[in-house]
Every structure is written in structure tokens, then in C-alpha cells.
């Protein structure tokens, strides 16, 4: 998990997704997307979702990030979308 969630306030209207290297693995269900503790980490409900998604992709949950989805490219996170921001 990174702290990139803190930099995405402007994109708050887009759904959140569990991402790995900018690729969307799974969209966070609505109702679960506000589940953060005071330290900014996902709480137990959200973390169990992240863990299950990561496991499906043979990843550690710590290798994933919860990011806003690109509004044009639902398979990419907004901050890492190569189609919108070519490297
Ligand atoms: Zn994009």
C-alpha cells in the first residue's frame, strides 16, 4: 500500500480499485470504498477484500494499491494510466 490515495482528492468521483503496477485487478465495491482507519490504512473489511483480490492474482496485498480508476480507461488507475499520460 502506498499513500497515493491522499493525492487523489480531485478524482474522488471515480470508483476505487485494487491495482498492481497501475493495472486494475478489481473494483472496490461501493460501500466498501470509504473503509479507512484513522491512519489512512484500509480497515478490516476493506483489507479482507484487498487480500482476497491479491490472492487471486498470486500477489501479496502489500504489493497492491487502492487507486482511483481512470475515467477513460477502466483497466488502468488514473495516476498510472499510460494511455492518458504516455511515458
Ligand atoms: Zn486513461
Amino acid at each position: 500500500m502506498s499513500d497515493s490515495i491522499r493525492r487523489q482528492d480531485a478524482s474522488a468521483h471515480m470508483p476505487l480499485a485494487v491495482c498492481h503496477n497501475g493495472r486494475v485487478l478489481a473494483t472496490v465495491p461501493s460501500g466498501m470504498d470509504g473503509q479507512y482507519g484513522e491512519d489512512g490504512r484500509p480497515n478490516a473489511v476493506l483489507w479482507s477484500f484487498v487480500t482476497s483480490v491479491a490472492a487471486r492474482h498470486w500477489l501479496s496485498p502489500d504489493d497492491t494499491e487502492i487507486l482511483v480508476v481512470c475515467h477513460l480507461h477502466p483497466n488502468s488507475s488514473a495516476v498510472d494510466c499510460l494511455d492518458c499520460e504516455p511515458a
Side-chain angles (χ1 to χ4, degrees):
M1 281 292 157
S2 79
D3 65 351
S4 42
I5 189 80
R6 300 178 199 282
R7 292 186 268 111
Q8 299 181 89
D9 294 345
S11 305
H13 59 289
M14 289 302 297
L16 296 174
V18 181
C19 300
H20 176 67
N21 289 342
R23 186 169 58 97
V24 170
L25 303 180
T27 306
V28 176
S30 62
M32 213 184 275
D33 51 7
Q35 304 289 322
Y36 290 91
E38 290 184 5
D39 56 358
R41 301 268 302 177
N43 73 6
V45 174
L46 181 53
W47 189 246
S48 69
F49 175 75
V50 171
T51 300
S52 70
V53 171
R56 254 185 275 148
H57 294 270
W58 304 98
L59 296 168
S60 161
D62 285 319
D63 291 332
T64 68
E65 297 179 281
I66 295 177
L67 297 170
V68 175
V69 177
C70 176
H71 64 293
L72 294 177
H73 307 98
N75 292 320
S76 298
S77 67
V79 292
D80 297 305
C81 185
L82 296 178
D83 291 318
C84 290
E85 297 189 39

